[in-house]
Amino acid sequence: KQEVTQIPAALSVPEGENLVLNCSFTDSAIYNLQWFRQDPGKGLTSLLLIQSSQREQTSGRLNASLDKSSGRSTLYIAASQPGDSATYLCAVRRNYNQGGKLIFGQGTELSVKP
Amino acid sequence: GAVVSQHPSWVICKSGTSVKIECRSLDFQATTMFWYRQFPKQSLMLMATSNEGSKATYEQGVEKDKFLINHASLTLSTLTVTSAHPEDSSFYICSARGGARYNEQFFGPGTRLTVL
């Protein structure tokens, strides 16, 4: 059974710091991995998608890496801003088929202080 | 692109009534839609998966007669909470997959249901 773990559960940093969020999964047979952001009381915003054949994806100040063999992904946020404060969720998808479900981690709650 | 909307964004109802929540993919055809439930400070719990034109597949422990899901078209899925009770109060989020970015899953803004 696939389990996804995110460390740390919460993180508070001063503005401007570079930071790394970690995600690990127990079964390396994944189809892809997605990182999401969730603001309080809102839905999820897709940040980055990494297919199993890829090693990393970048979007602006965000960079996500994937090491499938070791069951790990990291989300790197450069030059953090107060607007980055949110809960960050990673999720893995096992199958290609239409029913392939996302398995979510518990999230990392990020607070960036001005 | 890849926008998913939900309606209503919040609803308050009396115990025993039924509530319908709509989920629409606005700019792509969603071959698969998902419904999640989220409790405060917790991650998302998948309730069911539906493919257009097929019956939904419910996760273990989710009552299909309580939570009716209809995926009538490639852009619309509905979740009906029948005979709602206070314990059904939660944040419900839909998600969709399909179109050109078929590998990626996109989420709606969520619906806050409060049952009095």
Side-chain angles (χ1 to χ4, degrees):
Chain A
K1 178 186 173 185
Q2 179 72 275
E3 292 183 0
V4 181
T5 304
Q6 290 187 245
I7 295 173
L11 182 63
S12 181
V13 300
E15 182 177 4
E17 271 203 9
N18 302 324
L19 55 99
V20 174
L21 307 181
N22 296 293
C23 172
S24 61
F25 45 95
T26 54
D27 187 346
S28 62
I30 66 170
Y31 180 64
N32 61 32
L33 182 147
Q34 259 182 282
W35 280 94
F36 297 92
R37 166 188 174 138
Q38 185 176 31
D39 292 283
K42 306 290 185 182
L44 277 64
T45 300
S46 180
L47 298 174
L48 289 164
L49 168 73
I50 310 179
Q51 292 298 126
S52 61
S53 58
Q54 297 173 324
R55 294 295 297 244
E56 67 177 348
Q57 285 288 328
T58 298
S59 176
R61 294 182 294 108
L62 305 179
N63 176 277
S65 67
L66 174 64
D67 184 343
K68 204 173 70 160
S69 61
S70 66
R72 293 180 185 175
S73 176
T74 60
L75 178 66
Y76 175 83
I77 303 177
S80 58
Q81 303 170 357
D84 295 330
S85 298
T87 296
Y88 290 80
L89 295 153
C90 74
V92 299
R93 179 179 166 190
R94 178 178 175 84
N95 297 315
Y96 165 77
N97 66 34
Q98 288 183 322
K101 299 180 287 191
L102 287 180
I103 309 298
F104 282 89
Q106 290 297 313
T108 293
E109 188 173 353
L110 173 65
S111 175
V112 181
K113 305 294 186 184
Chain B
V3 178
V4 177
S5 71
Q6 271 183 253
H7 179 80
S9 55
W10 59 270
V11 57
I12 301 172
C13 69
K14 293 182 179 180
S15 185
T17 60
S18 293
V19 175
K20 180 185 283 189
I21 302 170
E22 289 188 352
C23 176
R24 294 181 185 271
S25 56
L26 298 185
D27 51 3
F28 68 101
Q29 293 188 324
T31 49
T32 307
M33 284 185 163
F34 306 84
W35 287 94
Y36 294 84
R37 185 173 178 175
Q38 187 177 34
F39 293 102
K41 298 290 186 181
Q42 294 190 24
S43 193
L44 281 73
M45 182 191 81
L46 179 64
M47 300 173 66
T49 302
S50 72
N51 295 309
E52 186 264 341
S54 303
K55 288 185 178 180
T57 301
Y58 289 81
E59 294 299 299
Q60 193 172 8
V62 178
E63 300 175 59
K64 60 182 179 181
D65 295 330
K66 173 77 171 175
F67 300 99
L68 300 179
I69 292 170
N70 185 290
H71 191 165
S73 75
L74 285 172
T75 58
L76 173 65
S77 176
T78 60
L79 167 67
T80 301
V81 183
T82 62
S83 187
H85 290 282
E87 57 266 29
D88 298 323
S89 298
S90 191
F91 192 55
Y92 292 88
I93 308 176
C94 75
S95 176
R97 211 160 62 203
R101 296 167 69 178
Y102 58 89
N103 284 324
E104 202 164 350
Q105 198 162 317
F106 299 96
F107 285 76
T111 296
R112 171 73 59 193
L113 170 63
T114 302
V115 185
L116 302 176

